[in-house]
Amino acid sequence: MSTKQKLVDSLNFDDVKNQLVVIDARVLMSMIGNMFQTIIEKDMEHTKSKQEQLKPNSDLLTMTEVLELLKVSKVTIHNWKKKGIIRSHKIGRKLFFKKDEILEAIKRQNYSCNYSN
């Protein structure tokens, strides 16, 4: 067991109330670094799982592809999203649409477009 881990294990914060705890600056920096690394790894796992959820059963379309497919403006797409007519999915900062969800929305709204498989 490392010195850092022994120090962390020896700190029992349940019984400590308003007591000063002295930690070596290097140990503190290491603890903070490990904390950030854990947060980043969890965020990366979440992003990866989100990507895996979206991929298996349908193709993902970008906003530009949806605009070309439906022959509508970006404002119309945003209005449809707000009204719940279509759903979008974010991966990181990018917006995607599931092709099968778009086609299903078209059927529900009786909207026709010149689309062929």
Side-chain angles (χ1 to χ4, degrees), residues 23-108:
I23 299 176
D24 180 60
R26 285 176 287 175
V27 172
L28 180 60
M29 292 299 291
S30 177
M31 290 170 67
I32 292 170
N34 289 340
M35 181 180 66
F36 279 117
Q37 183 176 358
T38 302
I39 290 169
I40 290 169
E41 287 171 357
K42 285 183 180 181
D43 186 54
M44 289 174 67
E45 287 173 15
H46 174 74
T47 300
K48 186 176 179 181
S49 70
K50 182 72 173 172
Q51 289 172 337
E52 289 170 358
Q53 287 174 4
L54 292 175
K55 282 187 181 177
N57 59 2
S58 67
D59 296 330
L60 295 179
L61 302 174
T62 63
M63 175 67 83
T64 304
E65 292 169 329
V66 172
L67 295 176
E68 291 172 4
L69 174 67
L70 300 180
K71 313 264 190 281
V72 296
S73 70
K74 194 181 267 193
V75 172
T76 300
I77 296 296
H78 287 297
N79 287 336
W80 287 354
K81 283 175 26 189
K82 286 180 188 176
K83 292 178 182 177
I85 295 171
I86 61 174
R87 290 182 57 204
S88 63
H89 306 276
K90 273 191 145 181
I91 299 177
R93 295 190 308 169
K94 295 188 178 193
L95 194 64
F96 294 94
F97 301 86
K98 287 185 177 182
K99 188 182 219 177
D100 59 348
E101 289 178 354
I102 295 295
L103 297 176
E104 185 60 36
I106 292 169
K107 290 177 190 173
R108 281 194 316 266

